Amino acid sequence: MTPSTDAHAELPGRRRVLAGGAVAALAVAAGVPHSAHAADLPLLGTYDVVVIGAGAAGMTAALTAAKQGLSCVVVEKAPTFGGSAARSGAGIWIPNNPVILAAGVPDTPAKAAAYLAAVVGSDVSADRQQSFLSHGPAMISFVMANSPLRFRWMEGYSDYYPELAGGLPNGRSIEPDQLDGNILGTELAHLNPPYMAVPSGMVVFSADYKWLALSAVSVKGAAVATECLARGTKAALLGQKPLTMGQSLAAGLRAGLQSAGVPVWLNTPLTDLYLEGGAVTGAVVTSGGTAGLVRARRGVVVGSGGFEHNAAMRAQYQRQPIGTDWTVGAKENTGDGIQAGQRAGAALALMDDAWWGPTIPLPDQPYFCLAERTLPGGLLINQAGSRFVNEAAPYSDVVHIMYDRNAAAPDIPAWLIVDQNYRNRYLFKDVAPTFTFPDNWYSSGAAYKQWTLDALATSIGVPAAALRSTVSRFNSLAASGTDTDFGRGDSAYDHYYTDPSILPNSCLAPLWLPPYYAFRIVPGDLGTKGGMRTDARARVLRADGSVIPGLYAAGNASAAVMGHSYAGAGSTIGPAMTFGYVAALDLAGAL
């Protein structure tokens, strides 16, 4: 076994583990959680609570359990901790949290309840929605009191549907403040790397990216870039290892676990749940090819992530075309916890859905497209060469529309079309304005460049006349400032990743300067959002609505409290942490 360094004393000797190898092989092959063989496996430890997964949900659950006086262990499949949260921008959507209230955000419980109900609808029970809303603020206060994490309001990052009752155009989302990675000591080496590295020498927050994209054309953008560089310089002079976004969130939670004495066993995947008398009382885990049993006196919290990297599950539950190479979720997320829960009797829900977003399948890794499809001077077209969506709409909505329309008017892949004027003004991924794109973007078919729209249409296989007509129509709408076709710019959310110097509509600008570019757009995601059905206390439910004793789930291993929608930036991580917190409180009898 290769656990984190703080867990060596918790493990049995190698000889004892190997002695159970033959029996372990039978148990693993059987895949039966209540198998008699499982009880014969070497015992790796007994705790009050066993947490599966060292992501945001799992580490929050473990920290809460420990602070409630319960003994706890975290077992993690990957050689790193942090999961998808560590890779992310780490926006956290929690209405009425103490950070936004201190900043003067005019939120109230009534507004939040009205808004969430309008967004989610009947997909999720009212008591589960209320559990999230009522426990979320306390969770943030708890995390700040029991870890080095501090948070910043992402001012101006609108709720995704601010026009709905209770929606806030200036936003409710928060993100982690800067953290010095030195607090983790040698454990910092085990932090899952970010999805996109911060530019060298800079300290960048999620809220900075909208301005960095504009740094060549905006005074404020240039000022923010200078501030990011100044932060990086200061950190370097102080000998710090500055972390922000998901890196800060994961490191801060891990530091909290270190202080609380909670062991984290890395390279230790879940094989199955262990049941006695219909109740979950432990977990079968594997390390170095050998299985062992970790007993749980009170219960198991599954926070093992979704199934985005499991091709068979995606093919079984989700619409085509789908694949495992368009997701930016942690590569270890193959649905192990969901499958184990299902074998234990758990009902599943929302398995057809994901935290979708238009994505460019670049050759090194997929790129989840945020600002690029919203900035003025670009439009999305389908394979008929026509626009089909408000390009600035919430990213999950854009992909839902891609799938909904695909059978009748193929939209997968779609194409993001921009011109050289756009390229002269805006950052694209990490490529500065006017700079050339890497050759392998073109050779892989992720990007095309041509001097005329007709030639570009030929390159991407759409009708040239249709593309010319679409661009002409779009340019006339941009000139008027009103998108009467798809309403781009009608919502306050549409204007977040845009250029405020463009008038009368910061979302809309014509395409007129060759060469023209096309980028392949596919239905990517941040992770899947379907999993085990849970109640307001994060307890896992059977199909008949009864509770499986001792089994809890949070994060993407559970069916999302957001249903098929997405309330605002951080609607993944906010509920994941909240229900990890709720699960631990319930296990401690503190709810």
Side-chain angles (χ1 to χ4, degrees):
M1 184 172 287
T2 313
S4 293
T5 53
D6 63 355
H8 283 298
E10 303 285 343
L11 300 174
R14 177 175 174 81
R15 181 174 298 174
R16 182 181 173 196
V17 171
L18 291 177
V23 174
L26 289 173
V28 172
V32 180
H34 56 275
S35 159
H37 297 298
D40 297 328
L41 291 172
L43 182 63
L44 302 182
T46 300
Y47 300 85
D48 294 324
V49 179
V50 176
V51 175
I52 311 299
M59 288 197 287
T60 304
L63 183 61
T64 307
K67 292 300 179 177
Q68 287 291 321
L70 303 180
S71 64
C72 185
V73 66
V74 180
V75 295
E76 168 57 51
K77 176 181 183 179
T80 56
F81 67 87
S84 293
R87 291 171 54 78
S88 74
I92 299 172
W93 195 82
I94 300 281
N96 293 294
N97 73 71
V99 177
I100 64 172
L101 294 182
V105 175
D107 203 2
T108 68
K111 285 182 183 178
Y115 177 69
L116 188 62
V119 170
V120 174
S122 60
D123 288 335
V124 176
S125 66
D127 64 334
R128 197 158 165 249
Q129 293 180 44
Q130 186 55 47
S131 179
F132 164 62
L133 294 173
S134 60
H135 293 291
M139 180 276 293
I140 292 295
S141 295
F142 167 82
V143 166
M144 290 194 291
N146 293 282
S147 80
L149 279 166
R150 298 297 178 265
F151 299 95
R152 303 157 54 103
W153 177 35
M154 300 174 73
E155 183 176 4
Y157 204 150
S158 171
D159 285 342
Y160 287 178
Y161 307 96
E163 293 75 27
L164 293 178
L168 296 184
N170 223 18
R172 294 174 159 102
S173 301
I174 60 175
E175 63 172 309
D177 210 339
Q178 182 178 335
L179 195 68
D180 181 6
N182 286 317
I183 63 172
L184 283 180
T186 58
E187 188 64 12
L188 181 61
H190 296 131
L191 174 61
N192 200 22
Y195 153 59
M196 276 183 60
V198 170
S200 178
M202 302 180 82
V203 173
V204 181
F205 296 106
S206 277
D208 294 331
Y209 272 105
K210 65 168 288 185
W211 293 110
L212 293 179
L214 305 175
S215 58
V217 295
S218 163
V219 171
K220 182 170 182 178
V224 169
T226 300
E227 184 180 356
C228 292
L229 185 59
R231 290 191 207 116
T233 301
K234 179 180 178 180
L237 290 173
L238 294 174
Q240 297 177 348
K241 296 176 180 176
L243 304 174
T244 57
M245 297 181 280
Q247 296 287 280
S248 175
L249 178 63
L253 289 172
R254 184 68 185 89
L257 294 182
Q258 282 185 325
S259 296
V262 176
V264 176
W265 300 350
L266 302 177
N267 295 299
T268 309
L270 173 71
T271 299
D272 223 330
L273 296 168
Y274 179 63
L275 278 75
E276 293 176 298
V280 174
T281 59
V284 179
V285 299
T286 304
S287 182
T290 302
L293 176 62
V294 188
R295 285 189 174 271
R297 298 184 189 93
R298 300 205 181 189
V300 174
V301 181
V302 179
S304 54
F307 59 95
E308 56 265 26
H309 286 281
N310 186 319
M313 290 182 73
R314 300 207 81 153
Q316 177 182 358
Y317 293 110
Q318 299 188 323
R319 288 186 281 185
Q320 296 295 324
I322 195 65
T324 59
D325 51 353
W326 296 341
T327 181
V328 299
K331 63 181 182 296
E332 291 83 8
N333 291 349
T334 55
D336 305 354
I338 297 171
Q339 291 176 320
Q342 191 175 25
R343 289 191 294 270
L348 306 183
L350 298 177
M351 296 293 284
D352 60 324
D353 216 339
W355 303 100
W356 302 114
T359 296
I360 303 174
L362 297 177
D364 52 344
Q365 65 173 354
Y367 177 62
F368 196 90
C369 225
L370 288 174
E372 293 81 3
R373 64 187 169 83
T374 302
L375 286 163
L379 68 154
L380 285 172
I381 62 166
N382 60 19
Q383 293 176 42
S386 302
R387 284 183 74 206
F388 61 93
V389 70
N390 167 15
E391 294 87 351
Y395 32 91
S396 57
D397 287 355
V398 174
V399 172
H400 280 140
I401 290 169
M402 289 173 71
Y403 275 120
D404 289 346
R405 291 174 47 96
N406 191 56
D411 298 325
I412 304 174
W415 297 95
L416 172 62
I417 310 296
V418 306
D419 70 346
Q420 189 61 42
N421 180 53
Y422 174 108
R423 280 300 301 128
N424 289 344
R425 296 175 62 84
Y426 308 126
L427 182 74
F428 195 103
K429 188 178 180 283
D430 53 359
V431 181
T434 75
F435 279 53
T436 58
F437 293 121
D439 288 343
N440 64 359
W441 288 23
Y442 297 111
S443 61
S444 68
Y448 292 85
K449 173 184 175 181
Q450 294 290 351
W451 285 90
T452 68
L453 288 173
D454 281 11
L456 189 68
T458 299
S459 295
I460 63 177
V462 306
L467 179 57
R468 284 197 313 273
S469 175
T470 295
V471 171
S472 176
R473 170 68 177 170
F474 182 82
N475 288 351
S476 68
L477 297 174
S480 73
T482 304
D483 179 12
T484 55
D485 291 345
F486 295 99
R488 179 168 168 179
D490 290 355
S491 171
Y493 171 77
D494 294 358
H495 293 272
Y496 183 71
Y497 286 112
T498 55
D499 183 349
S501 71
I502 299 298
L503 299 173
N505 185 337
S506 68
C507 293
L508 298 174
L511 286 70
W512 58 272
L513 182 64
Y516 299 95
Y517 301 82
F519 302 92
R520 185 184 298 269
I521 298 292
V522 297
D525 62 72
L526 303 171
T528 51
K529 70 188 318 186
M532 289 178 272
R533 282 184 52 211
T534 56
D535 66 6
R537 292 158 60 182
R539 300 178 300 178
V540 175
L541 304 176
R542 301 184 182 92
D544 63 4
S546 62
V547 171
I548 300 176
L551 183 58
Y552 295 74
N556 288 351
S558 63
V561 72
M562 293 294 157
H564 288 289
S565 197
Y566 212 131
S571 292
T572 309
I573 295 176
M577 296 176 69
T578 300
F579 282 109
Y581 172 77
V582 166
L585 290 181
D586 196 64
L587 282 160
L591 274 185

